[in-house]
Amino acid sequence: MPDVAEILIPLALDTAYSYVVPEGLALAEGDVVQVPLGPRETVGVVWGLSHSPGGSNLRPVTGRVAVAPLTEPLRRLVDWIARYTLAPKGSALALVLRLPDEAAARETARVAVRVSGKPPARRTPARDKVLETAADGALHGKSALAKLAGVSLSVVDGLIDDGALEAVAVEPEPVAPVPDPDHPRVPLSEAQEAAALALVQPAATAPLDAPHAGAVLLEGVTGSGKTEVYFEAVAHCVRAGRQALILMPEIALTAQFLDRFAARFGVRPAAWHSGIGGKRRERLRAAVAAGEARVVVGARSALFLPFRNLGLIVVDEEHEAAYKQEDGVHYHARDMAVVRGRLEGCPVVLASATPSIETRVNAERGRYRHVRLPERFGGRRLPDIQAIDMRLDGPERGRFLSPPLINAIKANLAAGEQALLFLNRRGYAPLTLCRACGHRYRCRNCSTWLVEHRFRRALVCHQCGYAEPRPQACTECGTFDNLTACGPGVERIAEEVAELFPDRRVIVLSSDFPGGAERLRMELEAVAAGECDIVVGTQLVAKGHNFPHLTLVGVLDADIGLTSGDPRAAERTFQLLQQVTGRAGRGERPGRALVQTYQPTHPVIAALLSGDAERFYAEEVMAREAAGLPPFGRLAALVVSAAEREAAEAHGQALARAAEPPPGVMVLGPAEAPLALVRGRYRFRLLVKTERNIDLQGYLRHWLARAPKPRGSLRVAVDVDPQSFL
DNA sequence: AGCACGCCGACT
DNA sequence: GTCGGCGTGCTC
């Protein structure tokens, strides 16, 4: 009776395929195997095994692949993700099982050389140079030596062939040094100690030796020392002999952070991010599977590493949108981390100064524990946040800095400290119009205004990237040199600042910083080092680098984003403003934030001023419930359109009846989706909503393929309005 | 993911 | 009349 194996292949396949196990091949669930698929060979994972009397018509498994098998929790995670995100199982597997990396295979082993003592058979000037350089008898990297001697690699190769140099295989540098949980460290504050204890010991009766499974929200303002607190949980986990994973958004994964880790644990942690490739990637993966890598710090994808003995997951900056994967399998790494924690039986710490609304809801409803860090470490206080009512204290015409803000900047500069002026608008001016004819320049592809970028001398669409040179004369009426810039962007603010403080160093930081990401990084470091007096920045400056000399934050227009029509606008604006104002006050004296607004009583502004985030979120959730929306999630619409009103209505209702959405996805009936006449056709929208991060558009297309087919001139389409995403 | 089949637009 | 676009379907 042949053994039959169910093999899941990391392709967009819904089900595992059956293969016969050849005589003499012992397979277990989770084993990675090679199997024939159509005309080629692929890898797959044994998802199930059975004895079957038939099966002679099945193709055989080619053989086992010599990598660590997928652990049971990881296999269950794949199943769970596929079910939850409505993705094919094979696609979920592909997150975990990367097809063998060709780059890794091509990468050659590092080779070092040293002089053997044997003189070369032939001597040339190039050869002499190499031998001189290597005369110290020490080991030299092959390519490094060639570079040092100023010759090409082939000269070194020739000397190796000749026997004058001997080649030695280099031990690859350790990929995962062992952290020391008891490395000497600075003592924690009382509040930090208490929080750290609460992470590892949820109740006085809970045993201290076993990490407590379940999710914990670790909430603490910037500077309260969240990192030090969860480092203690990591130390606890390492002492218990288990592995820990720290997830962070890619941008937060800086040398700065790795050094902080090293200060606590004596060594840098193993780092996993998109930049690590080839052999190093494979070696780290193997070290993780073998349990040798004790602590891994990584971006989103590190969640799918094959940990052998996972004891803790930390999701730092839990609220970050970077945790969302929006192509391929749609998932949210934070939520998947909570699931993996459950499957692995280990705790999950969600750390944030500004937790997302969904995490707050989960904490409030008791699904997550909630640990708060009340204050800034070292007695530093939160910045003092005050509103500047622009209706009373507004700037003069054509200016954007109000007198109170200007005075505050002056005082700050006099004290030798940095100021940050925050305006979430790139470019010089968001709107350009002709003074003669009133023509407003808009994008030819989108419905948006073109933003003037004075530095680039161009009008740019921030929606689609379309750009045209800024015209000398109006393209409509031909009037020369009569265009006017309306409203401020960061470039314009910098201009105003330069006029007010001509002898001060001002820098503009935004994502279109000339010179690219690398130069931007360097600039950020220069700013952190204090080589600048006034920073004018977009949301780019809200997170990432610490600016230790920054004690004043001016928010130039707090009202931007409040009226965008995005249901998540209030939440996003609140978080952004909280983050950016929180940047002040890392110096000796507590910082200050001044918020220019025309709506000081708006709930978002009021919440920011009072610092009462929880109340704000509670009100947000209530407002969404009142509007019939989930507290978080997304919306899409199925659109049925037809020339005949009856046909559209009838088919729309047929679709609504046919809908058999999986749990958590709701197809709303016709009552919520009224008929509309659009361009001569009757449109019938069925709203679909879910609290999950799934590919609704893809799901609806999939579902439409099975739903009743429209007849005649009827058309059914999926319409996802980005504005309707929650 | 590959690789086939298949059905409409511009060309040797 | 063909070459070739990429939409849809299949791989145990």
Side-chain angles (χ1 to χ4, degrees), chain A residues 22-310:
Chain A
E23 208 62 45
L25 183 64
L27 288 182
E29 291 189 356
D31 282 351
V32 181
V33 293
Q34 198 181 66
V35 288
L37 184 72
R40 60 189 194 280
E41 293 274 325
T42 10
V43 291
V45 176
V46 180
W47 224 248
L49 284 166
S50 62
H51 299 285
S52 160
S56 53
N57 53 341
L58 298 175
R59 299 176 79 176
V61 174
T62 309
R64 276 193 56 189
V65 178
V67 295
L70 259 67
T71 60
E72 213 233 316
L74 203 45
R75 276 178 279 136
R76 286 183 57 203
L77 181 70
V78 167
D79 284 334
W80 196 92
I81 289 177
R83 255 177 31 122
Y84 184 83
T85 63
L86 307 174
K89 246 183 209 187
S91 302
L93 177 63
L95 297 171
V96 171
L97 191 76
R98 276 292 170 61
L99 294 165
D101 189 355
E102 282 147 39
R106 272 189 278 109
E107 202 174 56
T108 50
R110 279 157 42 95
V111 175
V113 294
R114 70 170 154 238
V115 285
S116 63
K118 218 166 59 174
R122 263 207 282 148
R123 294 184 51 180
T124 65
R127 287 187 165 197
D128 284 348
K129 254 188 280 176
V130 172
L131 290 174
E132 256 169 57
T133 315
D136 55 2
L139 274 175
H140 293 267
K142 206 170 92 175
S143 54
L145 177 62
K147 206 168 180 184
L148 211 65
V151 301
S152 87
L153 256 176
S154 59
V155 179
V156 179
D157 282 331
L159 283 167
I160 295 171
D161 289 343
D162 216 2
L165 289 177
E166 71 180 315
V168 184
V170 182
E171 265 311 298
E173 52 180 313
V175 73
V178 178
D180 174 14
D182 302 309
H183 189 78
R185 59 170 168 93
V186 287
L188 299 183
S189 74
E190 215 171 285
Q192 285 176 311
E193 287 285 2
L197 190 64
L199 288 188
V200 296
Q201 186 185 28
T205 53
L208 247 178
D209 54 340
H212 178 82
V216 198
L217 167 59
L218 174 62
E219 182 180 3
V221 295
T222 314
S224 62
K226 286 185 297 297
T227 311
E228 285 68 25
V229 170
Y230 73 62
F231 276 173
E232 290 318 297
V234 169
H236 193 262
C237 171
V238 170
R239 271 188 218 110
R242 301 179 77 182
Q243 294 170 286
L245 166 65
I246 302 172
L247 285 181
M248 20 184 52
E250 186 105 28
I251 47 144
L253 195 56
T254 56
Q256 215 175 41
F257 179 84
L258 299 179
D259 289 341
R260 254 172 109 184
F261 184 95
R264 171 61 185 83
F265 292 98
V267 294
R268 280 187 162 203
W272 179 272
H273 51 90
S274 60
I276 141 168
K279 267 233 152 66
R280 201 178 163 75
R281 193 181 180 91
E282 292 319 307
R283 277 175 48 223
L284 179 51
R285 171 187 289 276
V288 168
E292 286 159 17
R294 305 300 297 278
V295 181
V296 175
V297 176
R300 198 165 67 190
S301 61
L303 177 62
F304 302 107
L305 283 170
F307 290 95
R308 161 196 279 243
N309 182 16
L310 192 57

Side-chain angles (χ1 to χ4, degrees), chain A residues 59 76 80 86 245 247 346 443 456 462 521 574 654 677:
Chain A
R59 299 176 79 176
R76 286 183 57 203
W80 196 92
L86 307 174
L245 166 65
L247 285 181
C346 78
C443 178
R456 288 167 57 189
H462 283 185
R521 218 187 169 78
F574 178 71
L677 187 60

Side-chain angles (χ1 to χ4, degrees), chain A residues 345-369:
Chain A
C346 78
V348 179
V349 174
L350 310 178
S352 176
T354 53
S356 63
I357 196 164
E358 53 269 37
T359 296
R360 284 179 189 276
V361 168
N362 281 325
E364 226 163 73
R365 294 181 183 171
R367 281 199 284 264
Y368 301 164
R369 287 194 295 131

Side-chain angles (χ1 to χ4, degrees), chain A residues 222 249-252 254 256 317 319-323 354 420 422 424 509 520 524 537-547 550 572 575-583 586:
Chain A
T222 314
E250 186 105 28
I251 47 144
T254 56
Q256 215 175 41
E317 311 291 347
H319 58 277
E320 278 290 325
Y323 285 119
T354 53
L420 167 67
F422 172 75
N424 203 12
L509 294 177
L520 178 64
L524 282 166
T538 61
Q539 61 179 3
L540 194 94
V541 298
K543 43 198 157 208
H545 271 74
N546 290 337
F547 299 132
L550 182 68
R572 291 221 175 97
Q575 284 182 349
L576 189 59
L577 294 181
Q578 210 185 17
Q579 278 167 12
V580 80
T581 54
R583 308 231 60 168
R586 295 187 148 235

